[in-house]
Amino acid sequence: MKAVTFDDFGAADVLRLADVPMPEPRPGDLLVKVHAAGVNRADLLQRQGYYGRQSYGESDLLGLEVAGEVVAVGSDVTDIRPGERVMGIVDRAMAVRIPEHLDYLGAAAVMESFVTAWEAAVHLGGTACGTAVLVHAAAGGVGSAGVQIAHALGARVFATANAERRAEVLALGAEAVFDYRSEDFEPGVRDATGGRGVDVIVDFVGGDYLARNLRSLAPGGRLVQVGLLGGQDSASIPLALLLHNHLRLIGTVMKSRTVDEKRAMVRRFAEGALPMFADGRLKPLVGKVFPLAQAAEAHCAMEVGGGFGKIVLKVDV
């Protein structure tokens, strides 16, 4: 079978399409003919050597998110049959059936983004009807999913993105979008909420956003830190504010979680969010699509940034 591989860590041009052995399903496995695969920031970090030789799950192949057709199942699998369509993160217990109206490209844009967004915004952040939520980097895959989820649950949604993506993020349900390059979200949030602040912030940036985030929270508010796109892993924390307003700072990342924790995340997503795809309240956002052979170009596009929605690799089958 074909797969994207690399021999040494490095820039995107280390990636190549190669023939690799077909895996044999073990008793609890699904063998899936992949039709499309999502590209994620963890893929870039793995290619660059950030995780060392640690692989995702039990495969050394790059990539963690797929959508396709089940062609074989292990002897212990009784709930899914060959011929069914699934989308998932590369683990049997992190695969779910694709809703009927979704095609493979759309399905490949769901799992990593929406599972992460549901975990951050809902399970950890407590987003619900009537809460006020700020989502940073809202034009990206996880950020745009967070905006959709919060809006679908009946929350007031505020967001940051570049000005070129403002209309698209507003269309997802955001009430206001602040241009992170020219506008300060802190006074924007304060003005929009009558000085109260928001209940939940989902942040992927870190660095100097941290203090501003905490000042933008209402008493009892929750800041869920999902990433460090700003490149800084240290920042000043206004501890007096944290204590006085009984705020909560919560860190989360899927990569470092145990297999059981990841499976629990997917179960929570399947119970809470998957029905919203079936009835149309949530929709995957596919940005750029590249053929599998152009995985290097897809990685470069993610590194450049500025896009809207998920980057997906299309597999010719």
Side-chain angles (χ1 to χ4, degrees), residues 115-313:
V115 169
T116 302
W118 186 270
E119 186 73 6
V122 182
H123 180 67
L124 297 176
T127 296
C129 183
T131 57
V133 181
L134 172 63
V135 180
H136 289 297
V142 182
S144 59
V147 171
Q148 283 198 67
I149 288 169
H151 176 68
L153 291 174
R156 293 184 68 191
V157 189
F158 307 97
T160 62
N162 64 58
E164 290 81 2
R165 301 301 179 190
R166 192 193 307 268
E168 291 161 310
V169 177
L170 288 170
L172 298 179
E175 182 176 319
V177 179
F178 309 108
D179 179 5
Y180 68 87
R181 294 172 300 188
S182 63
E183 298 175 286
D184 187 346
F185 67 83
E186 185 183 342
V189 166
R190 186 169 56 245
D191 292 345
T193 59
R196 177 181 178 274
V198 294
D199 303 291
V200 183
I201 297 178
V202 179
D203 182 37
F204 308 88
V205 181
D208 64 3
Y209 272 36
L210 179 56
R212 286 191 282 161
N213 280 334
L214 293 175
R215 291 194 297 265
S216 298
L217 283 172
R222 288 81 65 193
L223 167 58
V224 184
Q225 194 70 46
V226 185
L228 295 172
L229 293 176
Q232 302 177 43
D233 63 356
S234 61
S236 176
I237 300 178
L239 285 175
L241 178 69
L242 189 78
L243 298 174
H244 184 268
N245 284 355
H246 47 97
L247 306 176
R248 279 178 279 172
L249 172 57
I250 306 164
T252 182
V253 62
M254 182 182 283
K255 178 74 176 180
S256 63
R257 293 207 179 192
T258 67
V259 171
D260 286 342
E261 289 172 332
K262 293 171 185 174
R263 292 171 176 173
M265 289 172 64
V266 172
R267 286 196 298 270
R268 288 190 284 268
F269 159 82
E271 292 169 2
L274 200 56
M276 297 184 184
F277 285 96
D279 64 22
R281 283 178 289 169
L282 296 179
K283 296 179 180 179
L285 293 173
V286 178
K288 295 181 178 179
V289 178
F290 294 85
L292 185 64
Q294 293 181 15
E297 288 86 342
H299 277 220
C300 288
M302 176 166 282
E303 289 171 336
V304 170
F308 183 67
K310 192 69 175 277
I311 296 174
V312 175
L313 295 173

Side-chain angles (χ1 to χ4, degrees), residues 73-97:
V73 301
S75 57
D76 292 344
V77 177
T78 59
D79 59 328
I80 292 182
R81 299 178 179 180
E84 293 195 82
R85 302 187 314 145
V86 296
M87 56 187 184
I89 300 164
V90 287
D91 179 284
R92 160 66 187 94
M94 289 187 275
V96 299
R97 290 179 178 84

Side-chain angles (χ1 to χ4, degrees), residues 50-62:
Y50 184 85
Y51 303 123
R53 290 296 174 184
Q54 176 189 8
S55 61
Y56 193 96
E58 299 178 55
S59 173
D60 292 328
L61 294 177
L62 184 66

